[in-house]
Amino acid sequence: MVFYDQGNVASACRAWWMTKLFGHEKTQIIHGGLRAWQQQNLPVEQGTGAEHAPQTYHPRTEYSRIAGLGDMLEHVRLQNRPILDARSADRFYGMAPEPRAGVKSGHMPGARNIPYKTVMDENGFFLPAAQLETMFLHAGVTATTHPITTCGSGMTAAVLSVALELAGFTSNALYDGSWAEWGSTPNTPITTDTTHD
């Protein structure tokens, strides 16, 4: 499967992550999306897509690729895996209100802020693998730490998940509930501390 979007890289990355979650290993993203494809004068078409006969689908869920609220409560308590938050610094540090009503501001204790746009260049391409690796190493990721990505709703976290894979950190998970769940669940630990980075 090949995914692309029209500029919101998070959509293609989320689709990539979902298919990986359900066991599809031959999954790719067009680097730079539709815009990059068209800039290289590659063919496009319009109209109705090809029809295919329905088939029975048998997922092979890779549960190591997803984290739930219970998992995250444990990881925050133990501080045993790097948690990488893709939201903007203003939202991460609680300086900007959350866009969803009833969701508290701040971040999970011990989480590191890597706004998703920082893993990409100004043209919407992912940074080179070596540069991504350095960024993630600085955030506490190693080959054995199994990082978890998160964001506001589980979309831009997938951008970090793709960047981790490009950097060679293929054992990673995504917290699907992300801040929308964490920030609205009573008694979840929340901080606005700026000393961790």
Side-chain angles (χ1 to χ4, degrees):
M1 278 179 256
V2 178
F3 294 102
Y4 65 90
D5 53 44
Q6 296 184 40
N8 171 18
V9 68
S11 298
C13 291
R14 175 69 184 196
W16 173 91
W17 175 77
M18 295 269 310
T19 55
K20 290 282 196 178
L21 173 65
F22 291 113
H24 298 281
E25 288 305 315
K26 294 181 179 177
T27 302
Q28 298 178 329
I29 296 171
I30 294 178
H31 202 201
L34 181 61
R35 183 178 59 209
W37 181 271
Q38 290 175 316
Q39 285 174 345
Q40 295 179 44
N41 294 317
L42 294 167
V44 294
E45 61 183 29
Q46 296 181 4
T48 306
E51 290 190 22
H52 301 280
Q55 297 180 5
T56 302
Y57 176 67
H58 300 285
R60 297 178 316 281
T61 308
E62 300 280 342
Y63 291 102
S64 64
R65 290 191 172 274
I66 190 168
L69 179 62
D71 302 313
M72 296 308 295
L73 286 165
E74 188 74 355
H75 295 312
V76 167
R77 184 179 71 80
L78 296 174
Q79 294 290 303
N80 62 348
R81 291 175 72 171
I83 299 168
L84 310 177
D85 192 319
R87 293 176 300 150
S88 69
D90 283 350
R91 287 176 63 193
F92 182 82
Y93 291 114
M95 295 182 287
E98 285 298 308
R100 295 169 186 83
V103 177
K104 297 182 277 295
S105 295
H107 61 271
M108 297 173 214
R112 297 295 183 98
N113 186 219
I114 302 181
Y116 80 97
K117 290 184 179 180
T118 63
V119 301
M120 312 189 82
D121 68 19
E122 63 279 359
N123 296 313
F125 290 90
F126 280 95
L127 297 174
Q131 202 171 335
L132 292 171
E133 181 184 20
T134 299
M135 183 184 301
F136 290 127
L137 287 170
H138 180 71
V141 175
T142 70
T144 59
T145 52
H146 314 294
I148 302 170
T149 62
T150 183
C151 62
S153 64
M155 287 293 291
T156 57
V159 177
L160 294 187
S161 296
V162 170
L164 282 163
E165 298 260 341
L166 291 171
F169 301 112
T170 56
S171 177
N172 62 78
L174 185 149
Y175 171 31
D176 200 32
S178 282
W179 195 255
E181 179 177 55
W182 190 271
S184 61
T185 301
N187 303 317
T188 51
I190 294 174
T191 183
T192 56
D193 183 25
T194 61
T195 61
H196 196 270
D197 294 334

